Amino acid sequence: MTSSPKVAPQGAITDVPGIEAGHFTDSRRPTGCTVVLAREGAVGGVDVRGAAPGTRETDLLSPSNLVERVHAVMLSGGSAWGLDAAGGAMQWLEEQGIGLEVGPARIPIVPAAVLFDLYLGDARVRPDSGAGRAACEAASSQAPAEGCVGAGAGALIGKLYGVERAVKGGIGTASVRAGGFTVGAIVACNAMGDVVDPETGKVIAGARREDGRTLMDTRRSLLAGEPPLRLVQAANTSIGVVATDAVLTKAQASRLATAAHDGLARSITPAHTMLDGDTLFALGTGASGRPAEMVLLATMAAEAVAIAVVRAVRAATGVSVGGLHVPAMRDLAGP
């Protein structure tokens, strides 16, 4: 597979103290997984907005439930099969002595979400526990790679009018600093809809017209009455993590995950559909020692997510697998 090109830096989720990130990218076909580590534990929250999610341990993050802190979040390709990657992260964390002490055992808490990337290559190749372990071994506090790596390796954008008219998706990261806080995000973008630059309102990646070189604008096409050519159940989904150094309660972490979805809505259209499993996690490391200012943090989280989505498609490269060629944003004939 072609390595992802570099795009201008705009921060990363690892700018948040206490957060590390790592990828595993499978060389056999475009798929992989991405882990976000919080070795010291972080207060966690989640919001699932898509109607076709694949998740693990999300109920645990409800503010009314017992466990306060998580030690990692796993993002994976492979659809429901990819949930196995979280088990590999648990094994690795246990070996590092990291986890929740429960009687005689130490149990790492690793929520997870998956996306559908089985269009490209042999669908029997998908992330497993070994892939999750490899992502943990690769994790560091350095800015993670972007584009067609990790959970974004097999991501596609704009499939409502057929996968043969899609554009390559990927994974992106960003961070925002304001008011003495840092908020970072990492998003694997595999949306059914198009990606829009929130600064201009223009579609920059998504469903292509029959000429294969220009974008059709899914939102406008739907509103104009152009019926979708193909509807594939649960074959999409954008997943990600937002993290902050603010001191959060569990309820605040849940609310931060909710607000972060505003970033998906700004940068993906349509978002949160019946055919997407859009899921965002929120982590609070508390490293700043400062209590949360939720209006500010919510604004920062949405901003970081929107930037991360745009960066995901700008860093992506085209791919050809099994007779299917999917170009990237940079391959098209113009904005």
Side-chain angles (χ1 to χ4, degrees):
M1 289 179 285
T2 304
S3 61
S4 297
K6 293 183 178 179
V7 294
Q10 199 156 7
I13 192 170
T14 50
D15 291 337
V16 178
I19 294 295
E20 300 173 51
H23 301 301
F24 168 79
T25 306
D26 202 311
S27 61
R28 296 171 293 173
R29 80 166 185 91
T31 192
C33 59
T34 298
V35 69
V36 177
L37 293 178
R39 293 176 189 253
E40 301 301 318
V43 176
V46 68
D47 191 355
V48 180
R49 289 292 182 92
T55 58
R56 166 175 165 155
E57 297 276 46
T58 50
D59 283 352
L60 172 148
L61 298 178
S62 168
S64 64
N65 290 337
L66 177 66
V67 174
E68 287 284 334
R69 303 178 77 81
V70 304
H71 305 99
V73 175
M74 182 63 69
L75 309 175
S76 183
S79 191
W81 299 103
L83 291 171
D84 285 349
M90 286 187 69
Q91 294 168 8
W92 184 87
L93 287 163
E94 181 185 30
E95 292 169 5
Q96 312 306 309
I98 297 170
L100 174 68
E101 290 190 35
V102 182
R106 187 179 290 273
I107 304 174
I109 306 300
V110 185
V114 296
L115 55 79
F116 184 100
D117 63 357
L118 303 180
Y119 283 119
L120 300 177
D122 186 349
R124 294 171 296 180
V125 176
R126 55 249 179 174
D128 55 14
S129 61
R133 173 183 287 273
C136 291
E137 292 171 348
S140 77
S141 59
Q142 300 298 308
E146 299 178 274
C148 301
V149 295
L156 304 177
I157 304 295
K159 299 181 284 291
L160 191 60
Y161 290 92
V163 67
E164 65 279 358
R165 288 164 64 175
V167 168
K168 192 69 184 69
I171 195 164
T173 187
S175 67
V176 177
R177 290 186 173 94
F181 297 108
T182 301
V183 175
I186 189 166
V187 180
C189 187
N190 185 55
M192 182 199 72
D194 300 335
V195 172
V196 174
D197 184 342
E199 296 300 318
T200 64
K202 293 183 178 179
V203 175
I204 59 174
R208 291 172 288 140
R209 298 187 183 279
E210 292 184 1
D211 64 12
R213 297 284 295 161
T214 55
L215 298 173
M216 64 183 300
D217 193 326
T218 295
R219 179 181 67 88
R220 292 183 184 277
S221 296
L222 287 171
L223 293 175
E226 186 168 350
L229 299 184
R230 188 176 303 167
L231 290 175
V232 180
Q233 298 295 323
N236 307 282
T237 300
S238 296
I239 53 179
V241 181
V242 294
T244 180
D245 55 0
V247 177
L248 299 181
T249 66
K250 206 172 175 188
Q252 288 171 328
S254 178
R255 177 54 55 182
L256 191 64
T258 296
H261 274 280
D262 290 351
L264 291 187
R266 290 178 197 166
S267 56
I268 298 171
T269 180
H272 308 134
T273 75
M274 291 295 293
L275 306 180
D276 288 281
D278 298 339
T279 300
L280 292 178
F281 298 91
L283 300 176
T285 69
S288 71
R290 302 181 60 212
E293 297 178 15
M294 286 304 296
V295 173
L296 173 60
L297 291 175
T299 303
M300 295 167 70
E303 187 75 5
V305 166
I307 296 170
V309 169
V310 171
R311 288 178 61 83
V313 296
R314 285 184 171 157
T317 52
V319 64
S320 295
V321 179
L324 176 65
H325 174 69
V326 182
M329 167 189 166
R330 63 186 57 247
D331 302 320
L332 301 182

